Amino acid sequence: MTEPDLANSADTFARLAIELHDAPGVEETIEAVVQFAQQALSCTHAGVALYTRGSQAEIAAVTDPVVTRYYELQIAAESGPLITALRERSTVLIRDTSTDERWPDLAASGIRSVLDVPLATGDAPRHPVGVLGLYSDEPDAFTADDEAIAHILAQHASVAVASARHEETMAQAVDARKLVGQAMGILMERFDVDGDRAFAILKRYSQDTNTKLRDVAQQLIDTRKLPH
């Protein structure tokens, strides 16, 4: 890259870091990533697919419906550059889908150039967070500089998504503790039991009905009744 290119990239990533830090949740974080991808690279479309807890690919954000269809085709077939990037935690570059022999069916999508970069953090060596996909309607659209920038963007995105997920999980845990505390208070007042006994009642109903403790607590608060 030339010196002006480096300066522009540094400015772009500085703005990206600020925007990702200010994003209120996972969805907003991912949306910022795909929008910046379109700005920073010579791609027509961009998208992010994330790994869910069941180790399945889930479409998280796209800049165009063509990417949604492109992802759905691969997820249904369990094959394609997206799936390969997820499973092998490796970058997949297709210079022209019309001549690529690995996944010939993907040429029908209209996407000609593909650059799928895994999103991964150091504490998840086997299972990446997801994949950042950069796509162009033109063949041979991505240069070596584009690939280098894509990897830097993916690193920023990986940390931001992992952090946003952790914060959401923590917020959900705090919310669950508050709900359980309120439900325990209801049981303590109704049955004149102490906190340990109230928690034991909630836990037993959770196990007997195969319902999450948080949901048992929410139902008790909403209806003043325990599930049957």
Side-chain angles (χ1 to χ4, degrees):
M1 286 186 209
T2 64
E3 191 169 324
D5 288 338
L6 288 171
N8 290 336
S9 296
D11 178 64
T12 297
F13 288 123
R15 289 187 291 111
L16 172 63
I18 293 171
E19 187 159 338
L20 293 183
H21 181 270
D22 291 340
V26 175
E27 290 184 10
E28 293 82 1
T29 298
I30 296 167
E31 187 61 35
V33 169
V34 295
Q35 294 302 324
F36 263 89
Q38 264 196 314
Q39 295 175 28
L41 292 141
S42 53
C43 61
T44 312
H45 318 293
V48 168
L50 296 179
Y51 249 146
T52 62
R53 288 186 177 182
S55 295
Q56 299 294 319
E58 180 181 85
I59 301 170
V62 297
T63 58
D64 192 276
V66 69
V67 182
T68 300
R69 294 191 294 272
Y70 183 68
Y71 283 167
E72 288 175 343
L73 180 64
Q74 297 179 68
I75 292 171
E78 296 187 354
S79 176
L82 169 69
I83 305 302
T84 297
L86 275 172
R87 290 177 175 171
E88 298 182 8
R89 196 183 173 189
S90 60
T91 298
V92 178
L93 173 64
I94 301 177
R95 298 198 177 279
D96 191 345
T97 57
S98 67
T99 59
D100 187 87
E101 297 180 353
R102 291 170 293 180
W103 304 287
D105 294 342
L106 297 182
S109 67
I111 291 174
R112 296 290 297 276
S113 298
V114 174
L115 180 57
D116 282 334
V117 183
L119 305 178
T121 55
D123 59 352
R126 294 185 179 179
H127 301 292
V129 174
V131 166
L132 168 63
L134 310 171
Y135 311 106
S136 176
D137 295 339
E138 299 296 327
D140 204 20
F142 300 117
T143 65
D145 284 351
D146 287 326
E147 190 169 351
I149 293 173
H151 278 280
I152 297 172
L153 178 57
Q155 290 172 5
H156 279 274
S158 299
V159 174
V161 170
S163 176
R165 277 182 162 179
H166 176 70
E167 289 180 7
E168 283 197 358
T169 300
M170 293 298 291
Q172 289 169 0
V174 170
D175 183 48
R177 285 197 293 271
K178 289 180 179 178
L179 290 175
V180 171
Q182 292 178 38
M184 286 171 58
I186 293 171
L187 292 176
M188 291 167 69
E189 181 179 359
R190 181 182 298 178
F191 299 113
D192 192 24
V193 295
D194 61 16
D196 289 342
R197 178 58 181 158
F199 181 75
I201 293 172
L202 287 175
K203 188 175 180 181
R204 177 167 60 82
Y205 273 93
S206 173
Q207 294 171 341
D208 290 348
T209 61
N210 194 28
T211 307
K212 290 182 179 180
L213 188 64
R214 180 193 186 281
D215 294 336
V216 172
Q218 184 70 69
Q219 182 170 339
L220 177 59
I221 294 168
D222 292 342
T223 67
R224 292 301 192 267
K225 296 178 181 179
L226 286 165
H228 297 291

